[in-house]
């Protein structure tokens, strides 16, 4: 069920009987010369809506702008400051609890959001307001990602390229895929910005001139479909597991 498509009287029965919601989050940021700036939020929304369709759980509208200041040197990247993002997501989640939701899955597709979603979830749990957890699609299927790609990225690489080739092929500049590979770097290690154990980079532009890493020519829509199906299965299983848990078991343990 997609919340924004429903009239309010038709949502009453869901909130009376269910307590779980999926919240897709991504970013609007550069993904190299070949992918749209919508890459992350398109992927997040596709997973959340598919899982909602398969399970009947509620999917909210997508948070399309995240913590992306580290891509700011590239045209069009949009971002909010981390404290603003955290407060926005926390407020949005509290809004859901006012309708009876007490467990939330942040269906996330942007690495820059991860620590902030974890912090929000921890705070809401400590306050015993809601149990909110972050889910990142590629982290749910690491073995498959490694099997499909010799060098997967991490940013704008073949795994994300494959996903958009599958989900939104018209938005991929296929004629620029080779240029993306040749103008970027294979990996953070290849950028040589880790010095004596210190991550000396802060921005994507410190590592790669065109904003991407990995071998984008290793991507395909067929691989994207395999990734999407495998990760969706993991998300569905997570939904079912979380729904089965008594809420009191999800709260912080008592002091020893």
């Amino acid at each position: 069920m997609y919340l924004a498509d429903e009239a309010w009287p038709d949502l009453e029965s869901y909130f009376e009987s269910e307590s779980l919601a999926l919240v897709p989050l991504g970013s609007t940021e550069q993904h190299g010369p070949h992918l749209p700036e919508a890459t992350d939020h398109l992927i997040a929304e596709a997973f959340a809506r598919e899982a909602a369709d398969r399970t009947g759980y509620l999917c909210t509208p997508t948070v399309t702008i995240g913590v992306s200041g580290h891509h700011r040197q590239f045209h069009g990247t949009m971002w909010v400051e981390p404290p603003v993002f955290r407060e926005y997501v926390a407020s949005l989640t509290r809004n859901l609890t006012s309708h009876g939701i007490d467990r939330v899955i942040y269906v996330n597709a942007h690495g820059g959001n991860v620590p902030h979603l974890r912090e929000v979830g921890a705070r809401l749990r400590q306050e015993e307001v809601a149990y909110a957890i972050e889910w990142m699609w590629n982290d749910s299927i690491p073995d498959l990602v490694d099997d499909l790609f010799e060098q997967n990225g991490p940013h704008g690489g073949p795994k994300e390229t494959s996903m958009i080739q599958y989900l939104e092929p018209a938005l991929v500049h296929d004629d620029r895929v080779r240029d993306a590979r040749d103008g970027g770097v294979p990996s953070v290690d290849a950028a040589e910005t880790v010095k004596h154990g210190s991550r000396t980079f802060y921005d994507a532009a410190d590592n790669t001139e065109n904003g991407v890493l990995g071998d984008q020519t290793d991507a395909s829509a067929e691989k994207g479909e395999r990734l999407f199906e495998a990760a969706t299965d993991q998300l569905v299983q997570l939904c079912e597991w979380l729904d089965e848990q008594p809420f009191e078991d999800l709260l912080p343990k008592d002091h020893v």
Side-chain angles (χ1 to χ4, degrees), residues 44 73 98 111 143 147 158 166 179 181 185 194 208 220 246 253:
Q73 289 91 343
S98 73
D143 292 341
D147 287 345
Y166 172 62
D179 291 339
R181 179 197 65 185
V185 294
V194 176
T208 165
S220 70
K253 306 301 181 190

Side-chain angles (χ1 to χ4, degrees), residues 124-189:
L124 294 171
R125 179 176 183 249
Q126 188 64 35
E127 296 170 359
E128 301 188 359
V129 172
Y131 184 78
I133 51 176
E134 183 266 345
W135 179 85
M136 184 82 172
W137 71 270
N138 51 286
D139 289 342
S140 76
I141 50 169
D143 292 341
L144 179 59
V145 172
D146 288 343
D147 287 345
L148 289 179
F149 308 110
E150 184 174 346
Q151 176 48 256
N152 62 55
H155 183 74
K159 65 174 184 252
E160 290 184 319
T161 302
S162 294
M163 287 291 293
I164 300 300
Q165 285 175 328
Y166 172 62
L167 295 171
E168 298 285 350
L171 298 181
V172 181
H173 297 274
D174 291 314
D175 59 328
R176 300 178 188 171
V177 168
R178 191 173 299 276
D179 291 339
R181 179 197 65 185
D182 295 344
V185 294
S187 65
V188 173
D189 287 344

